[in-house]
Structure formats: structure tokens, C-alpha cells
Amino acid sequence: MGQAHLFGRSTGADIPVAVGGDGCYIIDANGKRYFDGSGGAAVSCLGHSDRAVSDAIRGQLDRIAFAHTGFFSSEPAGELADLLIDHAPEGIDRVYLVSGGSEAVEAAIKLARQYFLEKGESTRSRIIARRQSYHGNTLGALAAGGNEWRRAQFAPLLAETSHISPVYEYRGRQAGESTFDYGQRVANELEAEILRLGPENVMAFIAEPVVGATAGAVPPVEGYFKRIREICDAHGVLLILDEVMCGMGRTGTLFACEQEGVRPDIVTIAKGLGAGYQPIGAMLCSAAIYDAIAAGSGFFQHGHTYMGHPLAAAASCAVLKRITGDGLLDNVRDKGAKLRARLDAAFGQHAHVGDIRGRGLFLGIEFVENRETKAPFDPKRGLARALKKAAFNEGLICYPMSGTIDGVNGDHVLLAPPFIMDDTQVEEVAEKLSVAVKRVLG
């Protein structure tokens, strides 16, 4: 069976057909094995042949596959919500199940707006986000994000959003400025923008705790998110944390914001939530937000056909139990530290590597033409595309991206391998990436 009528991501792409999965590996129709060093897009945290998750899907399929949430709930949906809240940040009390990350962010934005309407603060409609962020590809999520490459051609369709500086220490911290002071300076841009717009007009600030695909696993600096929380509280603005890519154990804790000691009002998750076994995402909110809806209209003016899908929820329950109950968070931290050390050894002194960063099994390498000046390569060179191809030829799937700095300039490689990887596979990733980099950069 061919691919002649499939509308793929690129009309000119000639890509292999995946026919099998074996732990951390994907096998194509020719029998070639690829180590999934990016988990697709930080999705396949349990690899591609987890028996517990497969059994959970089969078991639910034998009971009921689908029941519309306008008429019914389901046992796995309720169980999943309980599991998530058992591990959620302080104050988070309700779970709204959807089918992916973009849907989760759309739900978060709409909920923020309706929350203020229910409270009688109808002028609050503005969102503040950060440059070089990514929150999804539907129009609302795309408007919130700061990925200029993805936004450009759809700009006339997007709601107006304010974008402040990211917390991007490698590029943003000034000479003589401490890491802490840098974080406070860029966090304070939020307050300046709230005051410029008028606090009565601002409903939410949205940010990724660790920035994913757009900038390449950029972690915050100490104290940044605590200052962000203070500013939001001072002006009655909701804090939405987008953990679609960095959450569900990817950085070494189930929720990435745990490491910042910060409490979101709304948090979005997806990708690792279903580990690729079923499409699923979730928007989690505080009891205060839910109670405002319950005491007001009693109805969230939103919804999707497949939200709370029983098969997806059953799969996700099994995924969460594996992550939280089988020592996988310990393995993320252990293998993350070992992979980081191995990358430092391989690339730490490389003439064209400017920064190696990230947390847990969420790591990024930023490439530069000049290490001293941090000057990026000419975008026309297509470095990220060349690195992706070279690594793929070696049997390593990684996630290179261009436009790291401003949507046009800069190149990085993102690594987000499965949580089940072992020490020999840490070595495999480093070796294959080293070969790819050598072939592209010499």
C-alpha cells in the first residue's frame, strides 16, 4: 500500500514508513532501526512497545471505546483526573481532558477569559507571553506563542498578544550581571507590560517552564518564576504554565514547575501524558477558577468531540502509573545527568557549540559559527536541516530547529529520548550525534 494520497507535512518529502517499534527504537519498512532520541517531539517517553499501556488500551476497548461527554463520563477519565490531581501543584484541583497540546492551550485561554467574565471583570482579555515561545498551532495557541516562523503567514488571523523577553541566559544575560539579577530584570518586563496595557485589561501570562522546540530546552534561572508569580498576584493576572512538552516527567519531576517552587493557576499538559499511545492532552485549573464557573453560569463555553475519550484516558492512566510507580523519574534524572555529561565531553569544547543546556532528559545544543562572539550560522546554510538528515542517516532521530534566537537566526538540536533508556543508549546517542555533527561541520 503506497502513500500517494497522503497529505503529509511536506509535499516534497520522501520519508520512510514506520512499521515497528521496539523499546527506544522505531523500525522502518526496510528493517532499519532508529534510536528515537527526541521521542518524536518529546512524546514517546515510554518507547514504542510498552506492554502495560497496550494492555490497558485493549482492556478498555473490550468494554467501551467512546461515549460523548455531553451524555456520559467514563471510569478511566475519572481515574486519570484523580491520578493527575494527586501529583499536581498546590491549588490545582480540576482536569479538563482534550486530545492534544494545542487543544489544551486553547482551553486554557478560553477558560481564563470566561473566569473573568464570571467575576464581572469583562475588560480583561489581553494575554502576555514571551518571544521565542511556542504554545501550539491552532489560531488561539499560535497567537499566544512567540514563534515568528510559525506565526508569520497567519499573522492577519491572530489575536493581538504582547510578547516580552524570554529568560534565555546564554543570549540575554549582560556582562557583570548576576544570573539572579538577570532573571529579575526580564521578569520585571511582565509588570511593565501589565502597567502599559492597564491591569484591568490583562487576563493571563503564559510561559513554558522550560522552553521546548522553539529555543531548545532553555531552562529558567533561579528566582525568575517566583518573581513572575508575585507580579501576577499583585495585578490579579492568571499564570498559565504550558508544560505540553516539558511536563510529565521530562525534566525529572512529573510537573516541570515543581523545580521552580511556583504555583500556576492553569497548567497544560500533553505529549508525554499519553506517551504516543493515544492522542491526549489536559488543561488543569485551580479550585478557585472552577468554583467561579460553578457559582456563575455553571457551564464552560467550550468543548471537543473526543475530549475525555475512554481509550485515551485508559492509556494515559497506564502511562502515569509507569512514570510515577516504576522508578522512571529516577531514571530520567540519572540518565539525564549522564547524557548531559556525555554531551559536555563530546561537544563542550567544540568550536561551533555555544551552549549545552536543559533538565533531565530534555537537553539542547546550540550551534554557532563563532564561539567567542556567539554569532550564529547564516540561515541560508540550513544547518539544522543538515544535522537532522545526517543524524537520521546514522539511525538517530533528533529534533534540530532553526530560528533559535529570533525566528530566523540560530540553530539548535533538541534531545528528548525515552525515559526507559539505559547507559549503553546514552553512549549510542552521543556517538551517533558526534558522527552527524562531524559530517556537517567537519
Side-chain angles (χ1 to χ4, degrees):
M1 186 176 294
Q3 308 284 308
H5 299 287
L6 185 65
F7 197 150
R9 286 176 175 253
S10 172
T11 58
D14 181 18
I15 58 177
V17 176
V19 298
D22 178 20
C24 296
Y25 299 87
I26 292 177
I27 305 162
D28 73 14
N30 295 318
K32 183 174 179 178
R33 293 167 64 90
Y34 305 81
F35 184 87
D36 194 358
S38 64
V43 174
S44 299
C45 57
L46 299 182
H48 299 278
S49 56
D50 192 283
R51 180 58 62 87
V53 183
S54 298
D55 287 347
I57 294 170
R58 290 190 196 96
Q60 183 59 40
L61 185 59
D62 288 340
R63 291 186 286 274
I64 187 168
F66 174 70
H68 194 282
T69 52
F71 304 96
F72 296 98
S73 185
S74 70
E75 290 180 353
E79 182 184 3
L80 177 56
D82 287 346
L83 281 171
L84 285 168
I85 295 305
D86 284 347
H87 294 90
E90 177 191 358
I92 296 295
D93 188 64
R94 296 285 174 162
V95 178
Y96 189 87
L97 295 174
V98 292
S99 297
S102 295
E103 283 187 17
V105 171
E106 292 282 332
I109 292 169
K110 284 187 172 181
L111 182 63
R113 172 60 179 164
Q114 186 170 337
Y115 168 70
F116 285 114
L117 287 175
E118 302 275 4
K119 291 182 65 184
E121 299 180 47
S122 61
T123 61
R124 288 192 187 258
S125 63
R126 292 296 299 267
I127 297 172
I128 301 173
R130 304 187 297 187
R131 294 188 294 277
Q132 290 308 96
S133 61
Y134 181 58
H135 299 297
N137 240 347
T138 50
L139 290 177
L142 193 62
N147 186 311
E148 290 305 318
W149 174 75
R150 295 181 191 266
R151 289 168 52 94
Q153 63 181 327
F154 303 108
L157 307 179
L158 303 180
E160 186 177 1
T161 304
S162 297
H163 291 96
I164 62 173
S165 294
V167 56
Y168 184 3
E169 184 182 5
Y170 175 66
R171 293 281 173 185
R173 183 161 65 91
Q174 298 172 355
E177 185 176 37
S178 73
T179 299
F180 180 83
D181 287 345
Y182 162 65
Q184 299 300 292
R185 173 168 62 81
V186 290
N188 285 333
E189 288 188 26
L190 173 60
E191 186 158 57
E193 184 61 12
I194 290 172
L195 294 174
R196 187 186 75 82
L197 295 170
E200 71 281 2
N201 298 318
V202 179
M203 66 179 187
F205 174 67
I206 183 169
E208 301 159 274
V210 180
V211 180
T214 298
V218 179
V221 298
E222 183 182 357
Y224 171 83
F225 272 109
K226 287 186 177 179
R227 177 61 184 141
I228 290 291
R229 179 75 264 182
E230 289 174 358
I231 293 167
C232 289
D233 287 342
H235 299 287
V237 172
L238 296 178
L239 175 58
I240 303 172
L241 294 183
D242 178 354
E243 298 204 4
V244 166
M245 187 172 260
C246 65
M248 296 296 96
R250 177 56 59 190
T251 65
T253 51
L254 191 64
F255 289 86
C257 62
E258 293 176 42
Q259 297 174 56
E260 301 309 310
V262 68
R263 170 189 53 82
D265 299 295
I266 299 173
V267 59
T268 60
I269 53 176
K271 296 190 185 290
L273 177 63
Y277 289 86
Q278 287 282 291
I280 191 166
M283 181 272 292
L284 289 71
C285 74
S286 68
I289 294 175
Y290 180 87
D291 291 345
I293 306 293
S297 68
F299 178 70
F300 179 27
Q301 188 69 36
H302 188 53
H304 294 281
T305 299
Y306 289 112
M307 61 181 287
H309 194 281
L311 278 186
S316 190
C317 285
V319 169
L320 272 179
K321 289 173 184 176
R322 287 276 285 116
I323 292 173
T324 60
D326 291 343
L328 289 185
L329 291 174
D330 290 336
N331 202 53
V332 170
R333 292 187 287 267
D334 177 67
K335 299 304 180 288
K338 288 176 178 176
L339 182 56
R340 173 66 181 268
R342 188 63 182 81
L343 294 175
D344 285 340
F347 301 110
Q349 300 304 314
H350 194 286
H352 296 301
V353 171
D355 193 29
I356 303 171
R357 54 184 177 246
R359 285 182 181 171
L361 283 174
F362 198 45
L363 299 169
I365 304 173
E366 183 170 340
F367 294 88
V368 292
E369 186 169 35
N370 187 307
R371 186 181 170 102
E372 297 303 316
T373 66
K374 302 182 182 179
F377 283 95
D378 187 332
K380 294 177 182 177
R381 177 165 180 166
L383 180 63
R385 184 170 61 252
L387 287 169
K388 179 180 179 180
K389 181 178 180 180
F392 200 70
N393 288 340
E394 290 301 309
L396 172 65
I397 304 168
C398 58
Y399 198 119
M401 182 68 72
S402 57
T404 310
I405 302 168
D406 55 12
V408 176
N409 297 289
D411 299 276
H412 70 264
V413 166
L414 181 69
L415 296 172
F419 300 173
I420 60 172
M421 75 183 303
D422 60 29
D423 288 347
T424 62
Q425 291 164 337
V426 167
E427 190 66 24
E428 180 182 355
V429 170
E431 287 182 358
K432 288 182 174 178
L433 188 59
S434 294
V435 172
V437 169
K438 187 173 183 179
R439 288 190 174 173
V440 174
L441 291 174

